[in-house]
Amino acid sequence: MLKLNMEIEMKTTLQKIKGHRPCLDGWKTLLNGLKTTNLDTEVSLLQILNINGIKAAFWALRVFDFKDYYIVVIKILESIKHLMKDKRSVATIKGIDNYCNDKITLKEFKIIKADAVDASASASVSASASAYFASASASVSASASVSADYSAYASAYASAYASAYAAYDAYADAKKKQWEKTEKILRDFLNDLKH
């Protein structure tokens, strides 16, 4: 669990945000929500979250101090730590904690982070391979149906098509739920900073 030895505010200015070239729609939404165009105006990550939403808040993290960025990252990672299978991913959480509390150097942290990227890539390749083999299997099955009977092929194709859409819908639903969970974690963390 992250224990901070420092005060953090998670605030920036409109000038700094503008310097990172936000999208025009998001920028207008933020200015309208703040009811100002004064670039010296201070804005918190919580305000960005409330006005522009979770994806814009994560985009805005690039404006904040490097350590502040990783403090938010660790809060999110802690919520899914129980799902991590690779020791390198779990070590990354500890590495972020140590880096944010000045227990390790940036150089040491980058080594830990590189190991986590390798772990993530391995997991991604494994998931992609599974999806590919499932798709290839369905294609082979559909092809076999063609040689037997066109109507059987059409039925298999429609079934595979429906399965693909169902899988996509399940993925989209899971992704939406993860964004909602991430938003709650971020909102709770930022609200705790106010107290």
Side-chain angles (χ1 to χ4, degrees), residues 143-160:
S143 295
S145 296
V146 168
S147 61
D149 179 17
Y150 180 77
S151 64
Y153 167 75
S155 175
Y157 180 81
S159 175

Side-chain angles (χ1 to χ4, degrees), residues 1-3 70-101 104 109 112-113 115-116:
M1 191 66 145
L2 178 65
K3 292 177 180 53
Y70 275 105
I71 289 166
V72 171
V73 168
I74 196 171
K75 291 305 292 181
I76 305 305
L77 289 176
E78 284 176 343
S79 73
I80 59 166
K81 185 177 178 179
H82 65 283
L83 301 174
M84 295 179 182
K85 307 280 188 237
D86 194 300
K87 292 177 192 173
R88 296 171 293 185
S89 298
V90 176
T92 302
I93 295 176
K94 181 71 173 154
I96 294 170
D97 188 11
N98 287 338
Y99 174 69
C100 290
N101 286 296
I104 63 173
F109 173 65
I112 293 168
K113 192 171 99 171
D115 282 347

Side-chain angles (χ1 to χ4, degrees), residues 63-190:
V63 177
F64 292 88
D65 178 71
F66 189 65
K67 284 189 180 179
D68 289 346
Y69 169 83
Y70 275 105
I71 289 166
V72 171
V73 168
I74 196 171
K75 291 305 292 181
I76 305 305
L77 289 176
E78 284 176 343
S79 73
I80 59 166
K81 185 177 178 179
H82 65 283
L83 301 174
M84 295 179 182
K85 307 280 188 237
D86 194 300
K87 292 177 192 173
R88 296 171 293 185
S89 298
V90 176
T92 302
I93 295 176
K94 181 71 173 154
I96 294 170
D97 188 11
N98 287 338
Y99 174 69
C100 290
N101 286 296
D102 297 320
K103 293 179 182 176
I104 63 173
T105 66
L106 179 59
K107 184 178 179 180
E108 292 168 314
F109 173 65
K110 285 183 177 181
I111 292 168
I112 293 168
K113 192 171 99 171
D115 282 347
V117 168
D118 288 345
S120 176
S122 296
S124 178
V125 167
S126 175
S128 296
S130 295
Y132 170 77
F133 286 121
S135 173
S137 174
S139 294
V140 167
S141 175
S143 295
S145 296
V146 168
S147 61
D149 179 17
Y150 180 77
S151 64
Y153 167 75
S155 175
Y157 180 81
S159 175
Y161 196 72
S163 295
Y165 267 102
Y168 178 79
D169 287 346
Y171 165 77
D173 187 51
K175 188 174 179 180
K176 180 181 176 206
K177 286 178 182 173
Q178 186 57 47
W179 273 115
E180 289 168 355
K181 182 178 178 183
T182 301
E183 180 175 353
K184 181 184 179 338
I185 293 164
L186 181 59
R187 188 176 301 284
D188 290 348
F189 171 68
L190 294 172

